[in-house]
Amino acid sequence: MSFSLYDISVPAFSRGLDTLSHLLDKGAVYADEQGIDHAQLIGGRLAPDMYSLIGQVQSASDAAKFGAARLAGIAPPSFPDDETTLDELRARIAKTQEFLRSVTPESMDGQEQREIVIRPGGRELKFVARDYIRGFVLPNFYFHLSTAYGILRHQGVPLGKLDYLRGAASPA
């Protein structure tokens, strides 16, 4: 049995964004309980040269929306990177999920060999769609999701692996 481009992308993005929203919710509760300013929480980072939590959420959102749009051959929505609060970050996640709900399996399936060209940092990278999702978009998306988790843990938010893996299995 093979998976379609849609099957390996949109559901993964949707579940990952649900997880990211859950992590932010737990972060907000922890910050409120501990008297930590939300600005400190979302400004946190693992290293000086890495994105803050804000940047990680924006990057996960971008990976999902650009990835889905490129695979479907449609224009992605444009979101300015101007979030400064937890509520704004959650709203960005919700807008990304709304966009993902508009993408249909028919727009992606059968396009596994279509060429996709991206230009990050002025470089040109060429992929076929199948390799783009498996080798670039999903690893990038999960990198930012995992880093957001790490930032929150680093700041003391009581998260466990099951917070990250939530929704991965159907209830028994």
Side-chain angles (χ1 to χ4, degrees):
M1 176 178 167
S2 65
F3 286 96
S4 70
L5 286 177
Y6 181 90
D7 289 340
I8 63 171
S9 62
V10 173
F13 295 144
S14 295
R15 187 181 68 73
L17 291 169
D18 284 344
T19 295
L20 188 54
S21 193
H22 167 74
L23 298 176
L24 293 178
D25 290 345
K26 285 196 79 167
V29 168
Y30 175 78
D32 292 344
E33 288 173 350
Q34 300 300 313
I36 298 169
D37 186 345
H38 287 194
Q40 176 184 328
L41 189 74
I42 64 176
R45 59 185 75 226
L46 294 178
D49 64 343
M50 291 181 75
Y51 289 149
S52 67
L53 181 60
I54 292 171
Q56 300 301 335
V57 172
Q58 291 167 340
S59 295
S61 164
D62 286 349
K65 70 181 175 117
F66 287 124
R70 288 178 181 129
L71 291 169
I74 59 177
S78 177
F79 302 158
D81 292 335
D82 60 1
E83 293 85 11
T84 60
T85 68
L86 279 168
D87 287 340
E88 289 171 348
L89 290 173
R90 285 191 289 253
R92 183 184 181 115
I93 292 168
K95 288 189 302 186
T96 307
Q97 290 171 315
E98 181 180 334
F99 168 69
L100 291 173
R101 285 189 293 275
S102 76
V103 178
T104 65
E106 296 78 22
S107 66
M108 289 184 187
D109 294 345
Q111 302 297 316
E112 291 79 9
Q113 296 300 318
R114 185 168 43 81
E115 183 178 68
I116 294 177
V117 179
I118 61 172
R119 293 176 180 83
R123 299 179 323 172
E124 183 174 275
L125 301 174
K126 293 182 180 183
F127 303 89
V128 294
R130 177 195 67 234
D131 296 337
Y132 171 70
I133 188 61
R134 292 188 306 188
F136 186 83
V137 178
L138 286 174
N140 185 46
F141 176 73
Y142 285 117
F143 172 85
H144 293 293
L145 178 58
S146 297
T147 304
Y149 172 94
I151 290 169
L152 290 167
R153 282 287 292 141
H154 184 66
Q155 294 189 76
V157 177
L159 298 169
K161 187 187 272 188
L162 291 180
D163 288 301
Y164 182 87
L165 294 175
R166 67 189 301 274
S170 300

